[in-house]
């Protein structure tokens, strides 16, 4: 008997964001093939539910040729601040075209034409390559990910502060990447988002608004702090080299001057429901923390 499930190649299946697509595709009865760079990352991707593993590298076209064999669609997200991010995306589009792949979903960035920011501009050649291909594409323009707050959660709990290197009143467009993943899964498995280019944003939030939600949900005061970029980068575990940190500093410089605009209309339309809100995102993290703290207290009292 042949397996009639659609197969989708997911770039970054072992990474922190693309992995959120795995449950969405499995829920839609699809086979997920994760593109990972080594067996260890393959094990991690499998632990999150990836069904098949393709060991490959976006810098190695032969490995991409093998990875796309027999797939119905591809989800691509480029590694942040990589100097050759555009070349990697183009190489994957070429492999998809040669391999006769039908569908290509690209997780790009909000405002890719904001060329003051190199990590935004680096998405433009990939989008151009899709517009000049015969692939059935869907291009996603996600805002700043709410999951960035989750990445600093332990520091928020430890210090009682939420620190970012731009003014507390500045509003930044944010989105829960689980919603982006859901839109990507819809685009891969249904026709309704064919050839769409979509801004994906749940709303704009200042740090003052975020700490007021944190304070309410955690039931303890959390303050908004504004360190310099240098102080912030020193205290934040960033997987970047000096050049990449320089590019990130430009992003924060831009936020400091202009904030980041975004609109939730197209995300709600693509999902067919309201996007997950900032309050929901923080409430989930806080519930987990309070449950863990409650368990620790109970264990302590029983000891
Ligand atoms: N953070 C935000 O708020 C935000 C907002 C909008 C858009 N974006 C965009 O989202 C993208 C992803 O961000 P991220 O890098 O922080 O996410 P990430 O989840 O850490 O993704 C990076 C993934 O790419 C994989 N990768 C790196 N180099 C590769 C290569 N040569 N070949 C194959 N796979 C490779 C990594 O693989 P391994 O698992 O092997 O390490 C990792 O899984 C960036 O383009 C960024 O501009 C981010």
């Amino acid at each position: 008997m042949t397996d009639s499930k659609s197969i989708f190649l997911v770039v970054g299946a072992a990474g922190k964001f693309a992995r959120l697509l795995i449950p969405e595709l499995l829920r839609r009865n699809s086979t997920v093939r994760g593109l990972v760079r080594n067996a260890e990352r393959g094990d991690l991707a499998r632990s999150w539910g990836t069904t098949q593993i393709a060991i490959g590298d976006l810098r190695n076209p032969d490995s991409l040729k093998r990875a796309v064999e027999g797939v119905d669609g591809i989800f691509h997200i480029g590694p942040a601040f990589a100097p050759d991010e555009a070349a990697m995306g183009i190489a994957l589009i070429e492999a998809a075209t040669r391999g006769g792949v039908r569908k290509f979903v690209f997780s790009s960035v909000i405002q890719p034409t904001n060329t003051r920011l190199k990590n935004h501009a680096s998405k433009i050649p990939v989008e151009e390559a899709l517009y000049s291909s015969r692939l059935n594409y869907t291009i996603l323009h996600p805002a700043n990910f709410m999951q960035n707050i989750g990445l600093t959660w332990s520091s928020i709990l430890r210090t009682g502060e939420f620190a970012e290197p731009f003014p507390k009143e500045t509003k930044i467009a944010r989105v829960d990447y689980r919603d982006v993943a859901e839109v990507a899964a819809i685009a891969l498995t249904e026709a309704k988002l064919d050839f769409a280019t979509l801004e994906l944003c749940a709303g704009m939030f200042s740090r003052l608004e975020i700490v007021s939600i944190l304070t309410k949900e955690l039931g303890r005061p959390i303050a908004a702090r504004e360190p310099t970029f240098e102080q912030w980068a020193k205290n934040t575990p960033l997987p970047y080299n000096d050049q990449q940190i320089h590019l990130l500093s430009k992003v924060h410089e831009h936020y400091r001057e202009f904030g980041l605009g975004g609109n939730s209309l197209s995300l709600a339309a693509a999902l067919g429901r309201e996007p997950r809100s900032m309050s929901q995102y923080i409430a989930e993290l806080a519930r987990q923390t309070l449950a863990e703290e409650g368990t620790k207290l109970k264990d302590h009292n029983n000891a």
Side-chain angles (χ1 to χ4, degrees):
M1 203 173 95
T2 54
D3 184 359
S4 60
K5 284 183 179 183
S6 296
I7 305 175
F8 298 112
L9 180 73
V10 175
V11 171
K16 37 192 192 303
F17 305 120
R19 79 177 177 91
L20 299 171
L21 176 61
I22 300 167
E24 291 297 335
L25 287 175
L26 295 178
R27 193 170 303 137
R28 289 167 175 80
N29 200 30
S30 307
T31 296
V32 180
R33 182 181 299 172
L35 181 80
V36 294
R37 286 185 289 176
N38 56 50
E40 201 187 345
R41 300 297 282 172
D43 289 344
L44 189 59
R46 272 195 202 283
S47 74
W48 287 324
T50 302
T51 352
Q52 301 178 358
I53 295 298
I55 307 246
D57 194 303
L58 290 163
R59 296 188 173 108
N60 177 341
D62 283 340
S63 72
L64 297 181
K65 187 176 167 204
R66 287 191 299 275
V68 305
E69 256 169 39
V71 304
D72 297 281
I74 296 177
F75 171 82
H76 175 58
I77 182 166
F81 303 109
D84 54 347
E85 189 190 328
M88 289 193 230
I90 291 168
L92 187 58
I93 292 167
E94 281 170 2
T97 302
R98 287 208 195 96
V101 177
R102 181 187 62 83
K103 182 78 201 182
F104 197 105
V105 175
F106 174 37
S107 183
S108 175
V109 69
I110 197 166
Q111 301 180 357
T113 49
N114 186 347
T115 54
R116 282 166 56 113
L117 304 178
K118 281 215 166 60
N119 57 314
H120 286 224
S122 59
K123 276 53 174 189
I124 296 174
V126 183
E127 297 195 5
E128 278 173 350
L130 283 174
Y131 294 136
S132 301
S133 78
R134 291 182 185 273
L135 293 161
N136 175 339
Y137 55 80
T138 303
I139 299 177
L140 312 179
H141 287 172
N144 189 288
F145 305 157
M146 290 182 193
Q147 276 69 17
N148 295 333
I149 299 171
L151 292 172
T152 61
W153 192 248
S154 59
S155 147
I156 293 172
L157 296 178
R158 195 180 62 253
T159 60
E161 292 175 337
F162 178 39
E164 287 176 321
F166 49 85
K168 301 165 194 175
E169 299 79 12
T170 301
K171 288 195 185 254
I172 301 290
R174 308 242 188 193
V175 68
D176 187 325
Y177 203 81
R178 289 173 299 179
D179 280 350
V180 180
E182 191 171 327
V183 172
I186 294 168
L188 286 167
T189 59
E190 300 176 31
K192 76 172 193 179
L193 300 179
D194 284 357
F195 303 105
T197 298
L198 299 164
E199 177 162 306
L200 302 182
C201 169
M204 292 167 63
F205 307 91
S206 71
R207 202 155 57 263
L208 285 176
E209 288 167 317
I210 293 173
V211 295
S212 126
I213 302 171
L214 285 163
T215 299
K216 173 170 173 273
E217 297 298 338
L218 283 167
R220 69 188 83 157
I222 304 292
R225 203 163 63 80
E226 186 189 340
T228 63
F229 178 81
E230 288 69 27
Q231 288 165 340
W232 175 81
K234 209 169 124 214
N235 292 323
T236 308
L238 298 168
Y240 303 137
N241 62 29
D242 287 353
Q243 176 57 19
Q244 292 170 314
I245 288 184
H246 174 70
L247 294 178
L248 180 60
S249 76
K250 294 286 169 198
V251 173
H252 286 110
E253 211 173 285
H254 185 82
Y255 287 176
R256 204 172 307 132
E257 202 173 345
F258 303 107
L260 179 67
N263 183 291
S264 64
L265 201 62
S266 48
L267 176 55
L271 290 169
R273 61 167 171 79
E274 284 308 306
R276 289 176 167 96
S277 67
M278 178 63 82
S279 294
Q280 272 173 285
Y281 177 75
I282 290 176
E284 276 181 51
L285 287 177
R287 258 199 308 277
Q288 209 179 316
T289 296
L290 296 174
E292 284 164 10
E293 287 176 352
T295 309
K296 269 194 207 144
L297 187 66
K298 223 159 132 193
D299 289 349
H300 176 77
N301 290 343
N302 289 340

